[in-house]
Amino acid sequence: MSAALEFRDVSVVTASGRALLQSVSMAIEEGSVTAIIGRSGSGKTTLLRTVNRIIEPASGEVLVAGSPERDVVALRRRMGYVIQETGLFPHFTVERNVGIVLEAEGHSMAERAGRTRELLQLVGLDAATFGGRYPHQLSGGQRQRVGLARALAAKPRILLMDEPFGALDPLTRAEMQDMLRELLARVKTTVLLVTHDLDEALYLADRIILLSDGKVVVDVPRHEFLNSDHPEVISYARAFHRGQTRVAGEVHSA
Amino acid sequence: MSAPFLAQYGSEIGTLTLEHLWLTGAAMLFAAAVAIPAGIWLTRSPRWAKPVIGVTNVLQTIPSLAMFGFLLPLPWLGERAARIAIIALTAYALLPILRNTYAGIRGIDPTLMEVARAIGLTDLQRLFKIELPLAASFIFAGLRTATVTCIGIATIAAAVGAGGLGELIFRGVASVDNRLVLAGAVPAALLALIADGALGLLEKRFKVPAPESARS
């Protein structure tokens, strides 16, 4: 399989000189789901934003499909972008939010309407019911579905997701994760998923990358992650399912 | 006001009201044509925001009678009183429109602007599809303040002979005839109320529903 995305020695420095990413190099396979995990401030979101050039690296480059893209607008239109706050435009209906990328590209109204219906169905929303609503009339989970539909509108080769389900309650989050997994099996796209939820990373990703202080410290296939003896992986695993471990202990000692 | 009074002054009140509307309307068009693009430009170069808004603020503090007086001796302007009035009114209308355009656009949730960039909207698409619609309610609020202020100030333009409803007020004051003062003041107040109501409706119409985060 070829690399859909390649980071070559990418470093990002803030205006005040703090290094957010330090010489990150890696290749992301076409059609794979890669989770980027790490503490807050470890550089996860920064890494994601170098891909759609919201952030320009101080040195190094990010190659998309093997070449550095010069036309930023064209590059961004070929990438889906989903964030925790969804970023739905409050003055647009659901339908227009989903179709905005197609609108920007000059597709006809009929084309947009057809594609929007298709996409809403794909994320489990009925176009007739939800198409005319505004974002403030939707629940958190529904908004996130619309955000995902918008990201998929232009049939992106790469889907960038930044804590997409971070603001949802655990049950809705689980539903969304199931929906996303099912959806990704159908639309073959390369996914870069930033999350701080280890469970989500293990459930959705093929490969897990752990960032710490702007550096890649672990980069392994999903099934090897918990076997890693890296101290940060160990603390991650310890922090994970603590409640369950405690209850299990109480049951044993009772 | 008695029927004979209205019969005598009715058509004059009508003409002067139209003149008043024309002075204010023209000034508002000029002010909007300058202040809205300037406000947009300031959001792109925020370091200029303070000095530019400062200058329009100073313009606003000049007493209107003095402003008309200052403009009187200027070569091209001085020839026609209406020109002076329109320029002066434009100067007064700049601040509210400029400030609200700037604040309306700067106040948009940065997440939305980031998403607009990330999904590949061009600069112009971001401006016309996202920024201006989201700031529209603010901009109309600025236009509303500016219009109501200008309708009031325009009555003073009669002092330099620019016409408008101030004409009747000045004449009424000079001849100690309250009916004439009212004949100028009441239509001017009505114009201000109507403009306030109409622009208020537009402001409401473009109000964006509460941000999504407020309900999650």
Side-chain angles (χ1 to χ4, degrees):
Chain A
M1 267 199 262
S2 57
L5 199 59
E6 194 182 342
F7 296 86
R8 277 196 192 157
D9 224 9
V10 173
S11 295
V12 173
V13 183
T14 61
S16 58
R18 200 165 67 89
L20 297 178
L21 287 179
Q22 303 180 47
S23 308
V24 172
S25 289
M26 61 183 168
I28 307 288
E29 271 174 23
E30 181 103 48
S32 67
V33 178
T34 305
I36 302 163
I37 66 171
R39 288 173 187 272
S40 302
S42 59
K44 309 185 293 283
T45 296
T46 307
L47 184 69
L48 201 72
R49 288 180 181 173
T50 59
V51 180
N52 58 7
R53 307 265 286 274
I54 295 285
I55 293 178
E56 291 287 348
S59 64
E61 56 184 351
V62 182
L63 306 184
V64 178
S67 60
E69 174 66 70
R70 304 270 168 241
D71 181 352
V72 180
V73 168
L75 171 98
R76 288 173 179 162
R77 284 185 186 162
R78 291 204 313 271
M79 287 183 189
Y81 189 54
V82 186
I83 54 172
Q84 179 174 325
E85 305 83 9
T86 74
L88 295 182
F89 300 115
H91 58 308
F92 286 178
T93 58
V94 163
E95 203 166 9
R96 194 158 177 218
N97 262 296
V98 174
I100 179 70
V101 183
L102 302 175
E103 183 183 323
E105 284 184 329
H107 290 268
S108 75
M109 197 111 99
E111 255 179 292
R112 266 153 38 203
R115 178 86 181 123
T116 306
R117 250 197 314 278
E118 210 179 283
L119 286 160
L120 285 175
Q121 203 171 9
L122 196 65
V123 297
L125 291 176
D126 176 34
T129 315
F130 291 98
R133 291 197 189 169
Y134 285 88
H136 71 279
Q137 298 168 317
L138 304 177
S139 71
Q142 288 164 346
R143 281 204 293 267
Q144 210 47 262
R145 284 172 198 263
V146 176
L148 187 58
R150 176 176 65 189
L152 294 170
K155 301 197 170 137
R157 302 279 298 276
I158 295 173
L159 188 57
L160 305 173
M161 307 184 87
D162 191 356
E163 304 271 9
F165 312 134
L168 303 175
D169 66 85
L171 293 179
T172 312
R173 192 185 310 159
E175 268 171 39
M176 295 294 291
Q177 288 163 347
D178 285 336
M179 186 267 292
L180 181 64
R181 210 157 90 147
E182 209 176 290
L183 190 149
L184 290 177
R186 272 191 281 169
V187 289
K188 292 282 175 220
T189 176
T190 309
V191 180
L192 219 50
L193 169 75
V194 163
T195 178
H196 51 219
D197 180 352
L198 179 57
D199 189 45
E200 183 166 278
L202 292 170
Y203 189 64
L204 292 171
D206 306 310
R207 173 179 172 192
I208 298 180
I209 288 166
L210 175 67
L211 281 186
S212 179
D213 290 330
K215 281 179 282 201
V216 174
V217 292
V218 176
D219 178 356
V220 290
R222 174 188 60 222
H223 58 272
E224 286 175 22
F225 185 80
L226 290 175
N227 300 332
S228 164
D229 53 5
H230 191 280
E232 263 204 64
V233 176
I234 294 171
S235 20
Y236 239 108
R238 229 181 256 151
F240 181 54
H241 285 168
R242 279 189 310 162
Q244 211 179 33
T245 316
R246 182 177 176 201
V247 172
E250 283 168 353
V251 170
H252 281 300
S253 61
Chain B
M1 254 171 253
S2 60
F5 178 85
L6 280 180
Q8 190 186 345
Y9 289 102
S11 76
E12 195 183 355
I13 293 173
T15 320
L16 291 174
T17 305
L18 283 181
E19 204 169 44
H20 204 93
L21 265 179
W22 141 247
L23 291 177
T24 329
M28 292 310 300
L29 279 182
F30 282 133
V34 173
I36 294 177
I40 294 167
W41 170 69
L42 288 183
T43 62
R44 271 59 175 167
S45 331
R47 65 200 174 95
W48 287 98
K50 234 179 158 175
V52 172
I53 293 176
V55 168
T56 58
N57 214 341
V58 169
L59 285 178
Q60 193 101 12
T61 60
I62 302 174
S64 41
L65 203 52
M67 172 90 95
F68 290 119
F70 286 143
L71 296 173
L72 209 48
L74 294 183
W76 179 79
L77 284 177
E79 287 166 30
R80 297 265 308 269
R83 288 180 194 160
I84 297 179
I86 291 171
I87 293 295
L89 293 176
T90 303
Y92 285 115
L94 289 176
L95 176 69
I97 305 174
L98 182 73
R99 198 181 43 199
N100 277 35
T101 306
Y102 177 74
I105 293 178
R106 293 279 286 182
I108 296 172
D109 179 357
T111 309
L112 290 180
M113 294 320 298
E114 188 196 307
V115 167
R117 279 208 297 154
I119 65 178
L121 297 189
T122 61
D123 290 348
L124 276 184
Q125 286 171 337
R126 286 206 299 273
L127 177 64
F128 286 106
K129 289 180 193 291
I130 313 294
E131 291 175 295
L132 286 179
L134 285 177
S137 160
F138 270 84
I139 298 174
F140 279 118
L143 285 169
R144 183 178 167 195
T145 313
T147 309
V148 173
T149 315
C150 280
I151 290 176
I153 296 177
T155 53
I156 300 170
V160 292
L165 290 162
E167 191 86 34
L168 292 170
I169 301 179
F170 277 105
R171 242 193 285 154
V173 171
S175 58
V176 202
D177 183 347
N178 276 342
R179 289 178 313 170
L180 272 180
V181 174
L182 286 174
V186 172
L190 284 178
L191 279 185
L193 283 174
I194 293 168
D196 189 52
L199 286 164
L201 281 181
L202 278 176
E203 186 185 327
K204 219 161 144 189
R205 158 77 183 72
F206 283 95
K207 195 137 209 135
V208 173
E212 48 174 288
S213 54
R215 277 177 51 107
S216 61

